[in-house]
Amino acid sequence: MHDFAGYRPGSLAGVVGLHAAYYAREWGFGLAFEAKVASELAEFLGRMDERRDLFLTAWSGDRLDGSVTVDVTGGGPRGPHLRWFIVSDAARGSGLGKALMDRAMVHCAASGDGSCWLTTFAGLGAARALYERHGFALENESADDQWRGGVREQLFARPARR
């Protein structure tokens, strides 16, 4: 069972650490990726509007097991931006990813029309399946590589709910 929280001390480093460890091991990403996650997450947390944005963490005691963010205030013309979704190795397969995504989609519905978008890259099959189960569809795939890891970037969007 996980305890859900917003920001608590260590969250920034923990979320960056989960991303850095997984993507280095599985995809060979290095310093450029870790620095990008750290700088963009720090920027978001510094401007986050707690009434509109969502920064959700999941903890097992003192261990961070996952996170998801819905950046409403900085999502731009596409609307809310789903970011920094990750589940630790220890919690993978436990249903935590679904629980985090469910809460993020409830937040999108409460903060607007339920629409949301995210960027990811080709090859993350389990994450893609979860996104698609929550109404996201692939809109674009390109050779752009904002993560600097030699991958094909994908844009997924979830349309407004009527």
Side-chain angles (χ1 to χ4, degrees):
M1 188 56 115
H2 288 93
D3 294 318
F4 292 93
Y7 174 82
R8 64 186 233 196
S11 295
L12 171 60
V15 171
V16 172
L18 287 176
H19 279 80
Y22 174 79
Y23 289 101
R25 181 183 70 241
E26 298 297 325
W27 294 91
F29 290 10
L31 177 60
F33 172 77
E34 187 173 349
K36 181 173 181 53
V37 172
S39 65
E40 290 182 6
L41 180 55
E43 184 274 330
F44 167 78
L45 289 170
R47 68 166 166 77
M48 180 177 72
D49 180 343
E50 291 185 22
R51 294 165 300 182
R52 297 186 64 207
D53 300 317
L54 174 70
F55 178 70
L56 183 63
T57 54
W59 300 83
S60 180
D62 288 336
R63 183 184 72 219
L64 177 64
D65 271 339
S67 77
V68 69
T69 297
V70 179
D71 186 357
V72 177
T73 57
R78 288 188 153 278
H81 185 184
L82 185 85
R83 307 184 78 183
W84 304 297
F85 173 58
I86 193 152
V87 174
S88 71
D89 293 339
R92 204 158 282 122
S94 70
L96 178 59
K98 181 184 180 313
L100 287 166
M101 188 63 66
D102 287 348
R103 288 173 183 241
M105 295 304 95
V106 166
H107 186 83
C108 286
S111 64
D113 59 14
S115 65
C116 192
W117 64 281
L118 64 93
T119 55
T120 187
F121 58 86
L124 298 171
R128 179 178 181 159
L130 186 60
Y131 300 145
E132 289 174 341
R133 281 194 302 273
H134 282 82
F136 287 86
L138 179 64
E139 281 196 359
N140 186 44
E141 184 171 325
S142 72
D144 291 345
D145 184 8
Q146 69 170 314
W147 296 280
R148 302 181 196 140
V151 296
R152 294 190 55 80
E153 184 171 313
Q154 297 176 321
L155 170 68
F156 282 80
R158 180 178 191 248
R161 300 293 181 202
R162 301 194 194 280

